[in-house]
PDB file of all heavy atoms in Angstrom:
ATOM      1  N   GLY A 181      49.972 -49.503  22.388  1.00 96.00           N
ATOM      2  CA  GLY A 181      48.967 -50.241  22.876  1.00 96.00           C
ATOM      3  C   GLY A 181      47.736 -49.590  23.366  1.00 96.00           C
ATOM      4  O   GLY A 181      46.827 -50.252  24.129  1.00 96.00           O
ATOM      5  N   VAL A 182      47.576 -48.296  23.019  1.00 97.00           N
ATOM      6  CA  VAL A 182      46.373 -47.584  23.521  1.00 97.00           C
ATOM      7  C   VAL A 182      45.368 -47.525  22.419  1.00 97.00           C
ATOM      8  O   VAL A 182      45.631 -47.032  21.290  1.00 97.00           O
ATOM      9  CB  VAL A 182      46.752 -46.141  23.983  1.00 97.00           C
ATOM     10  CG1 VAL A 182      45.530 -45.330  24.361  1.00 97.00           C
ATOM     11  CG2 VAL A 182      47.770 -46.135  25.063  1.00 97.00           C
ATOM     12  N   PRO A 183      44.219 -48.111  22.545  1.00 97.00           N
ATOM     13  CA  PRO A 183      43.258 -48.120  21.333  1.00 97.00           C
ATOM     14  C   PRO A 183      42.785 -46.600  20.970  1.00 97.00           C
ATOM     15  O   PRO A 183      42.672 -45.937  21.924  1.00 97.00           O
ATOM     16  CB  PRO A 183      42.000 -48.930  21.969  1.00 97.00           C
ATOM     17  CG  PRO A 183      42.472 -49.732  23.051  1.00 97.00           C
ATOM     18  CD  PRO A 183      43.679 -48.946  23.749  1.00 97.00           C
ATOM     19  N   PHE A 184      42.609 -46.553  19.726  1.00 98.00           N
ATOM     20  CA  PHE A 184      42.128 -45.240  19.292  1.00 98.00           C
ATOM     21  C   PHE A 184      40.927 -45.317  18.344  1.00 98.00           C
ATOM     22  O   PHE A 184      40.918 -46.237  17.503  1.00 98.00           O
ATOM     23  CB  PHE A 184      43.492 -44.443  18.492  1.00 98.00           C
ATOM     24  CG  PHE A 184      43.092 -43.127  18.055  1.00 98.00           C
ATOM     25  CD1 PHE A 184      43.318 -42.083  18.850  1.00 98.00           C
ATOM     26  CD2 PHE A 184      42.606 -42.838  16.672  1.00 98.00           C
ATOM     27  CE1 PHE A 184      43.003 -40.759  18.419  1.00 98.00           C
ATOM     28  CE2 PHE A 184      42.332 -41.632  16.342  1.00 98.00           C
ATOM     29  CZ  PHE A 184      42.634 -40.550  17.146  1.00 98.00           C
ATOM     30  N   PRO A 185      39.934 -44.522  18.479  1.00 98.00           N
ATOM     31  CA  PRO A 185      38.769 -44.583  17.530  1.00 98.00           C
ATOM     32  C   PRO A 185      39.139 -44.232  16.193  1.00 98.00           C
ATOM     33  O   PRO A 185      39.541 -43.177  15.776  1.00 98.00           O
ATOM     34  CB  PRO A 185      37.824 -43.446  18.110  1.00 98.00           C
ATOM     35  CG  PRO A 185      38.383 -43.221  19.556  1.00 98.00           C
ATOM     36  CD  PRO A 185      39.800 -43.349  19.421  1.00 98.00           C
ATOM     37  N   LYS A 186      39.087 -45.236  15.208  1.00 96.00           N
ATOM     38  CA  LYS A 186      39.519 -45.071  13.880  1.00 96.00           C
ATOM     39  C   LYS A 186      38.816 -45.814  12.859  1.00 96.00           C
ATOM     40  O   LYS A 186      38.934 -45.658  11.639  1.00 96.00           O
ATOM     41  CB  LYS A 186      41.065 -45.276  13.710  1.00 96.00           C
ATOM     42  CG  LYS A 186      41.477 -46.730  13.948  1.00 96.00           C
ATOM     43  CD  LYS A 186      42.973 -46.901  13.450  1.00 96.00           C
ATOM     44  CE  LYS A 186      43.175 -48.360  13.331  1.00 96.00           C
ATOM     45  NZ  LYS A 186      44.647 -48.621  13.041  1.00 96.00           N
ATOM     46  N   SER A 187      37.934 -46.828  13.330  1.00 96.00           N
ATOM     47  CA  SER A 187      37.270 -47.758  12.366  1.00 96.00           C
ATOM     48  C   SER A 187      35.818 -47.820  12.526  1.00 96.00           C
ATOM     49  O   SER A 187      35.127 -48.486  11.634  1.00 96.00           O
ATOM     50  CB  SER A 187      37.947 -49.124  12.596  1.00 96.00           C
ATOM     51  OG  SER A 187      37.811 -49.670  13.759  1.00 96.00           O
ATOM     52  N   GLN A 188      35.270 -47.186  13.468  1.00 97.00           N
ATOM     53  CA  GLN A 188      33.811 -47.243  13.766  1.00 97.00           C
ATOM     54  C   GLN A 188      33.067 -45.938  13.439  1.00 97.00           C
ATOM     55  O   GLN A 188      33.462 -44.911  14.031  1.00 97.00           O
ATOM     56  CB  GLN A 188      33.509 -47.607  15.208  1.00 97.00           C
ATOM     57  CG  GLN A 188      33.978 -49.044  15.613  1.00 97.00           C
ATOM     58  CD  GLN A 188      33.404 -49.381  17.044  1.00 97.00           C
ATOM     59  OE1 GLN A 188      32.226 -49.653  17.235  1.00 97.00           O
ATOM     60  NE2 GLN A 188      34.408 -49.522  17.972  1.00 97.00           N
ATOM     61  N   PRO A 189      32.276 -45.849  12.522  1.00 97.00           N
ATOM     62  CA  PRO A 189      31.572 -44.562  12.168  1.00 97.00           C
ATOM     63  C   PRO A 189      30.671 -44.197  13.328  1.00 97.00           C
ATOM     64  O   PRO A 189      30.142 -45.006  14.056  1.00 97.00           O
ATOM     65  CB  PRO A 189      30.805 -44.904  10.988  1.00 97.00           C
ATOM     66  CG  PRO A 189      30.581 -46.340  10.930  1.00 97.00           C
ATOM     67  CD  PRO A 189      31.820 -46.947  11.555  1.00 97.00           C
ATOM     68  N   MET A 190      30.608 -42.959  13.583  1.00 98.00           N
ATOM     69  CA  MET A 190      29.814 -42.422  14.782  1.00 98.00           C
ATOM     70  C   MET A 190      28.811 -41.278  14.294  1.00 98.00           C
ATOM     71  O   MET A 190      29.033 -40.554  13.399  1.00 98.00           O
ATOM     72  CB  MET A 190      30.818 -41.695  15.778  1.00 98.00           C
ATOM     73  CG  MET A 190      31.877 -42.610  16.397  1.00 98.00           C
ATOM     74  SD  MET A 190      32.609 -42.049  17.976  1.00 98.00           S
ATOM     75  CE  MET A 190      34.153 -41.507  17.199  1.00 98.00           C
ATOM     76  N   ARG A 191      27.699 -41.437  15.017  1.00 98.00           N
ATOM     77  CA  ARG A 191      26.767 -40.331  14.796  1.00 98.00           C
ATOM     78  C   ARG A 191      26.928 -39.201  15.965  1.00 98.00           C
ATOM     79  O   ARG A 191      27.575 -39.450  16.873  1.00 98.00           O
ATOM     80  CB  ARG A 191      25.333 -40.907  15.063  1.00 98.00           C
ATOM     81  CG  ARG A 191      24.793 -41.766  13.983  1.00 98.00           C
ATOM     82  CD  ARG A 191      23.276 -42.054  14.077  1.00 98.00           C
ATOM     83  NE  ARG A 191      22.970 -43.078  13.275  1.00 98.00           N
ATOM     84  CZ  ARG A 191      22.632 -43.118  11.992  1.00 98.00           C
ATOM     85  NH1 ARG A 191      22.646 -41.942  11.394  1.00 98.00           N
ATOM     86  NH2 ARG A 191      22.296 -44.154  11.223  1.00 98.00           N
ATOM     87  N   ILE A 192      26.323 -38.028  15.662  1.00 98.00           N
ATOM     88  CA  ILE A 192      26.371 -36.910  16.542  1.00 98.00           C
ATOM     89  C   ILE A 192      25.079 -37.110  17.389  1.00 98.00           C
ATOM     90  O   ILE A 192      23.978 -37.264  16.743  1.00 98.00           O
ATOM     91  CB  ILE A 192      26.353 -35.569  15.986  1.00 98.00           C
ATOM     92  CG1 ILE A 192      27.634 -35.439  15.038  1.00 98.00           C
ATOM     93  CG2 ILE A 192      26.410 -34.391  16.920  1.00 98.00           C
ATOM     94  CD1 ILE A 192      27.609 -34.350  14.032  1.00 98.00           C
ATOM     95  N   TYR A 193      25.161 -37.019  18.771  1.00 98.00           N
ATOM     96  CA  TYR A 193      24.043 -37.123  19.667  1.00 98.00           C
ATOM     97  C   TYR A 193      24.052 -35.836  20.533  1.00 98.00           C
ATOM     98  O   TYR A 193      25.112 -35.297  20.877  1.00 98.00           O
ATOM     99  CB  TYR A 193      24.018 -38.347  20.461  1.00 98.00           C
ATOM    100  CG  TYR A 193      23.951 -39.718  19.729  1.00 98.00           C
ATOM    101  CD1 TYR A 193      25.074 -40.145  19.202  1.00 98.00           C
ATOM    102  CD2 TYR A 193      22.794 -40.204  19.519  1.00 98.00           C
ATOM    103  CE1 TYR A 193      25.025 -41.518  18.521  1.00 98.00           C
ATOM    104  CE2 TYR A 193      22.614 -41.380  18.810  1.00 98.00           C
ATOM    105  CZ  TYR A 193      23.895 -42.036  18.346  1.00 98.00           C
ATOM    106  OH  TYR A 193      23.664 -43.170  17.657  1.00 98.00           O
ATOM    107  N   SER A 194      22.884 -35.484  20.964  1.00 98.00           N
ATOM    108  CA  SER A 194      22.761 -34.441  22.061  1.00 98.00           C
ATOM    109  C   SER A 194      21.480 -34.633  22.804  1.00 98.00           C
ATOM    110  O   SER A 194      20.371 -35.150  22.330  1.00 98.00           O
ATOM    111  CB  SER A 194      22.908 -33.022  21.418  1.00 98.00           C
ATOM    112  OG  SER A 194      23.095 -32.009  22.564  1.00 98.00           O
ATOM    113  N   SER A 195      21.576 -34.403  24.080  1.00 98.00           N
ATOM    114  CA  SER A 195      20.524 -34.620  25.012  1.00 98.00           C
ATOM    115  C   SER A 195      20.628 -33.559  26.203  1.00 98.00           C
ATOM    116  O   SER A 195      21.776 -33.155  26.525  1.00 98.00           O
ATOM    117  CB  SER A 195      20.372 -36.011  25.455  1.00 98.00           C
ATOM    118  OG  SER A 195      21.649 -36.400  26.168  1.00 98.00           O
ATOM    119  N   LEU A 196      19.370 -33.249  26.771  1.00 98.00           N
ATOM    120  CA  LEU A 196      19.220 -32.466  27.929  1.00 98.00           C
ATOM    121  C   LEU A 196      18.506 -33.425  28.923  1.00 98.00           C
ATOM    122  O   LEU A 196      17.375 -33.768  28.580  1.00 98.00           O
ATOM    123  CB  LEU A 196      18.520 -31.166  27.737  1.00 98.00           C
ATOM    124  CG  LEU A 196      18.321 -30.332  28.956  1.00 98.00           C
ATOM    125  CD1 LEU A 196      19.635 -30.018  29.711  1.00 98.00           C
ATOM    126  CD2 LEU A 196      17.536 -29.087  28.377  1.00 98.00           C
ATOM    127  N   TRP A 197      19.126 -33.603  30.082  1.00 97.00           N
ATOM    128  CA  TRP A 197      18.555 -34.685  30.903  1.00 97.00           C
ATOM    129  C   TRP A 197      18.802 -34.395  32.359  1.00 97.00           C
ATOM    130  O   TRP A 197      19.660 -33.589  32.720  1.00 97.00           O
ATOM    131  CB  TRP A 197      18.853 -36.078  30.546  1.00 97.00           C
ATOM    132  CG  TRP A 197      20.421 -36.343  30.380  1.00 97.00           C
ATOM    133  CD1 TRP A 197      21.207 -35.826  29.495  1.00 97.00           C
ATOM    134  CD2 TRP A 197      21.237 -37.154  31.189  1.00 97.00           C
ATOM    135  NE1 TRP A 197      22.511 -36.281  29.515  1.00 97.00           N
ATOM    136  CE2 TRP A 197      22.444 -37.088  30.646  1.00 97.00           C
ATOM    137  CE3 TRP A 197      20.957 -37.937  32.429  1.00 97.00           C
ATOM    138  CZ2 TRP A 197      23.636 -37.752  31.235  1.00 97.00           C
ATOM    139  CZ3 TRP A 197      22.141 -38.536  32.982  1.00 97.00           C
ATOM    140  CH2 TRP A 197      23.447 -38.530  32.345  1.00 97.00           C
ATOM    141  N   ASN A 198      17.984 -35.039  33.333  1.00 97.00           N
ATOM    142  CA  ASN A 198      18.176 -34.877  34.692  1.00 97.00           C
ATOM    143  C   ASN A 198      19.237 -35.907  35.174  1.00 97.00           C
ATOM    144  O   ASN A 198      19.006 -37.017  35.065  1.00 97.00           O
ATOM    145  CB  ASN A 198      16.960 -34.933  35.439  1.00 97.00           C
ATOM    146  CG  ASN A 198      16.981 -34.858  36.965  1.00 97.00           C
ATOM    147  OD1 ASN A 198      17.794 -34.060  37.516  1.00 97.00           O
ATOM    148  ND2 ASN A 198      16.421 -35.809  37.756  1.00 97.00           N
ATOM    149  N   ALA A 199      20.426 -35.418  35.961  1.00 93.00           N
ATOM    150  CA  ALA A 199      21.385 -36.274  36.505  1.00 93.00           C
ATOM    151  C   ALA A 199      21.662 -35.813  37.875  1.00 93.00           C
ATOM    152  O   ALA A 199      22.870 -35.720  38.212  1.00 93.00           O
ATOM    153  CB  ALA A 199      22.566 -36.320  35.547  1.00 93.00           C
ATOM    154  N   ASP A 200      20.611 -35.519  38.626  1.00 93.00           N
ATOM    155  CA  ASP A 200      20.923 -34.778  39.955  1.00 93.00           C
ATOM    156  C   ASP A 200      21.508 -35.794  40.917  1.00 93.00           C
ATOM    157  O   ASP A 200      21.793 -35.499  42.057  1.00 93.00           O
ATOM    158  CB  ASP A 200      19.714 -33.935  40.443  1.00 93.00           C
ATOM    159  CG  ASP A 200      18.424 -34.849  40.792  1.00 93.00           C
ATOM    160  OD1 ASP A 200      18.526 -36.113  40.742  1.00 93.00           O
ATOM    161  OD2 ASP A 200      17.471 -34.273  41.334  1.00 93.00           O
ATOM    162  N   ASP A 201      21.599 -37.172  40.557  1.00 93.00           N
ATOM    163  CA  ASP A 201      22.159 -38.027  41.382  1.00 93.00           C
ATOM    164  C   ASP A 201      23.657 -37.978  41.531  1.00 93.00           C
ATOM    165  O   ASP A 201      24.340 -38.523  42.332  1.00 93.00           O
ATOM    166  CB  ASP A 201      21.784 -39.597  41.069  1.00 93.00           C
ATOM    167  CG  ASP A 201      21.999 -39.896  39.649  1.00 93.00           C
ATOM    168  OD1 ASP A 201      22.077 -39.060  38.774  1.00 93.00           O
ATOM    169  OD2 ASP A 201      22.117 -41.138  39.397  1.00 93.00           O
ATOM    170  N   TRP A 202      24.254 -37.197  40.522  1.00 87.00           N
ATOM    171  CA  TRP A 202      25.709 -37.140  40.292  1.00 87.00           C
ATOM    172  C   TRP A 202      26.252 -35.855  39.809  1.00 87.00           C
ATOM    173  O   TRP A 202      27.347 -35.469  40.080  1.00 87.00           O
ATOM    174  CB  TRP A 202      26.330 -38.311  39.593  1.00 87.00           C
ATOM    175  CG  TRP A 202      25.912 -38.211  38.141  1.00 87.00           C
ATOM    176  CD1 TRP A 202      24.884 -38.965  37.632  1.00 87.00           C
ATOM    177  CD2 TRP A 202      26.630 -37.620  37.080  1.00 87.00           C
ATOM    178  NE1 TRP A 202      24.853 -38.680  36.260  1.00 87.00           N
ATOM    179  CE2 TRP A 202      25.920 -37.964  35.881  1.00 87.00           C
ATOM    180  CE3 TRP A 202      27.821 -36.891  36.923  1.00 87.00           C
ATOM    181  CZ2 TRP A 202      26.286 -37.378  34.619  1.00 87.00           C
ATOM    182  CZ3 TRP A 202      28.213 -36.404  35.728  1.00 87.00           C
ATOM    183  CH2 TRP A 202      27.536 -36.669  34.656  1.00 87.00           C
ATOM    184  N   ALA A 203      25.517 -35.097  39.012  1.00 88.00           N
ATOM    185  CA  ALA A 203      25.928 -34.097  38.252  1.00 88.00           C
ATOM    186  C   ALA A 203      26.562 -32.865  38.998  1.00 88.00           C
ATOM    187  O   ALA A 203      27.554 -32.236  38.567  1.00 88.00           O
ATOM    188  CB  ALA A 203      24.935 -33.656  37.265  1.00 88.00           C
ATOM    189  N   THR A 204      25.976 -32.385  40.014  1.00 90.00           N
ATOM    190  CA  THR A 204      26.267 -31.171  40.713  1.00 90.00           C
ATOM    191  C   THR A 204      26.722 -31.550  42.260  1.00 90.00           C
ATOM    192  O   THR A 204      26.038 -32.062  42.991  1.00 90.00           O
ATOM    193  CB  THR A 204      25.163 -30.090  40.841  1.00 90.00           C
ATOM    194  OG1 THR A 204      24.563 -29.903  39.496  1.00 90.00           O
ATOM    195  CG2 THR A 204      25.593 -28.837  41.384  1.00 90.00           C
ATOM    196  N   ARG A 205      27.979 -31.235  42.382  1.00 87.00           N
ATOM    197  CA  ARG A 205      28.696 -31.688  43.603  1.00 87.00           C
ATOM    198  C   ARG A 205      28.489 -33.071  44.160  1.00 87.00           C
ATOM    199  O   ARG A 205      28.089 -33.319  45.217  1.00 87.00           O
ATOM    200  CB  ARG A 205      28.162 -30.544  44.801  1.00 87.00           C
ATOM    201  CG  ARG A 205      28.629 -29.135  44.466  1.00 87.00           C
ATOM    202  CD  ARG A 205      28.240 -28.225  45.496  1.00 87.00           C
ATOM    203  NE  ARG A 205      28.300 -26.901  45.144  1.00 87.00           N
ATOM    204  CZ  ARG A 205      27.861 -25.770  45.714  1.00 87.00           C
ATOM    205  NH1 ARG A 205      27.341 -25.960  46.985  1.00 87.00           N
ATOM    206  NH2 ARG A 205      28.032 -24.655  45.166  1.00 87.00           N
ATOM    207  N   GLY A 206      28.595 -33.905  43.158  1.00 89.00           N
ATOM    208  CA  GLY A 206      28.460 -35.412  43.489  1.00 89.00           C
ATOM    209  C   GLY A 206      27.102 -35.853  43.789  1.00 89.00           C
ATOM    210  O   GLY A 206      26.878 -36.937  44.491  1.00 89.00           O
ATOM    211  N   GLY A 207      26.147 -35.020  43.330  1.00 89.00           N
ATOM    212  CA  GLY A 207      24.636 -35.387  43.759  1.00 89.00           C
ATOM    213  C   GLY A 207      24.111 -34.593  45.038  1.00 89.00           C
ATOM    214  O   GLY A 207      22.924 -34.880  45.410  1.00 89.00           O
ATOM    215  N   LEU A 208      24.980 -33.793  45.669  1.00 91.00           N
ATOM    216  CA  LEU A 208      24.496 -33.171  46.902  1.00 91.00           C
ATOM    217  C   LEU A 208      23.355 -32.100  46.494  1.00 91.00           C
ATOM    218  O   LEU A 208      22.587 -31.898  47.175  1.00 91.00           O
ATOM    219  CB  LEU A 208      25.705 -32.513  47.508  1.00 91.00           C
ATOM    220  CG  LEU A 208      26.646 -33.521  48.163  1.00 91.00           C
ATOM    221  CD1 LEU A 208      27.801 -32.665  48.856  1.00 91.00           C
ATOM    222  CD2 LEU A 208      25.919 -34.295  49.375  1.00 91.00           C
ATOM    223  N   ILE A 209      23.556 -31.495  45.415  1.00 91.00           N
ATOM    224  CA  ILE A 209      22.661 -30.476  44.922  1.00 91.00           C
ATOM    225  C   ILE A 209      21.628 -31.087  43.928  1.00 91.00           C
ATOM    226  O   ILE A 209      21.989 -31.564  42.960  1.00 91.00           O
ATOM    227  CB  ILE A 209      23.347 -29.351  44.352  1.00 91.00           C
ATOM    228  CG1 ILE A 209      24.441 -28.761  45.149  1.00 91.00           C
ATOM    229  CG2 ILE A 209      22.266 -28.140  44.017  1.00 91.00           C
ATOM    230  CD1 ILE A 209      23.918 -28.305  46.480  1.00 91.00           C
ATOM    231  N   LYS A 210      20.278 -30.939  44.372  1.00 94.00           N
ATOM    232  CA  LYS A 210      19.339 -31.582  43.499  1.00 94.00           C
ATOM    233  C   LYS A 210      18.662 -30.505  42.498  1.00 94.00           C
ATOM    234  O   LYS A 210      18.830 -29.418  42.668  1.00 94.00           O
ATOM    235  CB  LYS A 210      18.194 -32.171  44.383  1.00 94.00           C
ATOM    236  CG  LYS A 210      18.787 -33.265  45.205  1.00 94.00           C
ATOM    237  CD  LYS A 210      19.371 -34.407  44.473  1.00 94.00           C
ATOM    238  CE  LYS A 210      19.788 -35.578  45.517  1.00 94.00           C
ATOM    239  NZ  LYS A 210      20.532 -36.610  44.841  1.00 94.00           N
ATOM    240  N   THR A 211      17.897 -30.985  41.528  1.00 96.00           N
ATOM    241  CA  THR A 211      17.364 -30.242  40.436  1.00 96.00           C
ATOM    242  C   THR A 211      16.153 -29.505  41.256  1.00 96.00           C
ATOM    243  O   THR A 211      15.331 -30.125  41.922  1.00 96.00           O
ATOM    244  CB  THR A 211      16.809 -31.050  39.325  1.00 96.00           C
ATOM    245  OG1 THR A 211      17.959 -31.744  38.790  1.00 96.00           O
ATOM    246  CG2 THR A 211      16.254 -30.216  38.316  1.00 96.00           C
ATOM    247  N   ASP A 212      16.046 -28.214  40.871  1.00 96.00           N
ATOM    248  CA  ASP A 212      14.967 -27.380  41.469  1.00 96.00           C
ATOM    249  C   ASP A 212      13.851 -27.282  40.423  1.00 96.00           C
ATOM    250  O   ASP A 212      13.937 -26.475  39.450  1.00 96.00           O
ATOM    251  CB  ASP A 212      15.473 -25.977  41.873  1.00 96.00           C
ATOM    252  CG  ASP A 212      14.326 -25.012  42.357  1.00 96.00           C
ATOM    253  OD1 ASP A 212      13.214 -25.483  42.502  1.00 96.00           O
ATOM    254  OD2 ASP A 212      14.723 -23.909  42.854  1.00 96.00           O
TER     255      ASP A 212
END
């Protein structure tokens, strides 16, 4: 009963973005 990705075609994506509200130590460390 665990769904598995097998029927939907997927693209490859990549990005570089600012997530300083959560990315480093839960958001304690901000982007410099």
Side-chain angles (χ1 to χ4, degrees):
V182 180
F184 184 83
K186 69 170 190 180
S187 58
Q188 299 187 63
M190 298 199 256
R191 290 189 196 277
I192 302 162
Y193 297 88
S194 191
S195 57
L196 173 58
W197 50 292
N198 177 45
D200 67 2
D201 56 334
W202 65 271
T204 307
R205 298 185 192 172
L208 292 176
I209 308 297
K210 300 300 183 184
T211 304
D212 182 356

